[in-house]
Amino acid sequence: MGGDGKVFTLAQVSEHNSPQDCWLIINGKVYDVTKFLEDHPGGDEVLLSATGKDATDDFEDVGHSDSARDMMDQYYVGEIDVSTIPKKTKYKPPKQPHYNQDKTSEFIIKLLQFLVPLAILGLAVGIRIYTKSS
């Protein structure tokens, strides 16, 4: 391996994000891939888009060959201080309270659901009796 085992912070590695100076973090190791940009089969944009972050997932998702993994050794420059990489958090949707728009208690709603149809029925019976007797 080419590096001297130096430990870099994410901020230090993030400074190397141009086609003239491109460093990547993969599996906790830092690689200077500047000389490989033109030779990368996926193009230099792929590598440049992975700078300034932990590119392990990007690297693993592609499914690189064993020869590509072996080739990485020549670009090794050191390790990353993992405490400087932000932790990945899983998205948790906020808990929403039970929605009651007009703040009416559920008891009143249930009572009205019973009484309103009963009142309509009573009114219909009353009209029927009134119109029949006239």
Side-chain angles (χ1 to χ4, degrees), residues 5 7 15 22-23 26 29 34-35 42 51 60 64 69-70 80 86 90 93 96 101 115 118 122 125:
V7 177
E15 293 173 1
C22 181
W23 288 18
I26 300 171
K29 297 179 180 177
T34 308
K35 295 177 183 173
T51 60
E60 296 297 340
H64 286 88
R69 293 175 190 278
D70 293 339
I80 186 72
K90 186 177 178 185
Q96 295 188 358
Q101 185 176 0
L115 290 179
L118 195 58
V125 169

Side-chain angles (χ1 to χ4, degrees), residues 14-133:
S14 296
E15 293 173 1
H16 304 274
N17 60 1
S18 70
Q20 294 77 29
D21 187 22
C22 181
W23 288 18
L24 298 178
I25 302 167
I26 300 171
N27 292 321
K29 297 179 180 177
V30 180
Y31 299 94
D32 180 355
V33 294
T34 308
K35 295 177 183 173
F36 184 64
L37 287 176
E38 291 181 16
D39 298 329
H40 187 260
D44 60 350
E45 300 87 20
V46 175
L47 297 177
L48 289 169
S49 69
T51 60
K53 64 177 183 175
D54 185 352
T56 303
D57 290 340
D58 296 339
F59 180 80
E60 296 297 340
D61 287 346
V62 173
H64 286 88
S65 65
D66 290 337
S67 61
R69 293 175 190 278
D70 293 339
M71 188 185 297
M72 292 170 58
D73 291 343
Q74 63 185 316
Y75 301 109
Y76 175 82
V77 291
E79 303 285 323
I80 186 72
D81 180 0
V82 292
S83 66
T84 62
I85 297 177
K87 301 285 185 241
K88 293 181 182 176
T89 56
K90 186 177 178 185
Y91 175 74
K92 285 176 34 180
K95 289 186 177 180
Q96 295 188 358
H98 176 68
Y99 184 70
N100 191 352
Q101 185 176 0
D102 57 0
K103 309 295 185 227
T104 308
S105 72
E106 289 185 34
F107 174 74
I108 293 174
I109 292 173
K110 289 184 187 234
L111 187 63
L112 288 174
Q113 286 176 340
F114 175 73
L115 290 179
V116 168
L118 195 58
I120 292 172
L121 181 63
L123 183 63
V125 169
I127 291 173
R128 175 78 173 154
I129 293 172
Y130 177 75
T131 57
K132 200 174 194 181
S133 64

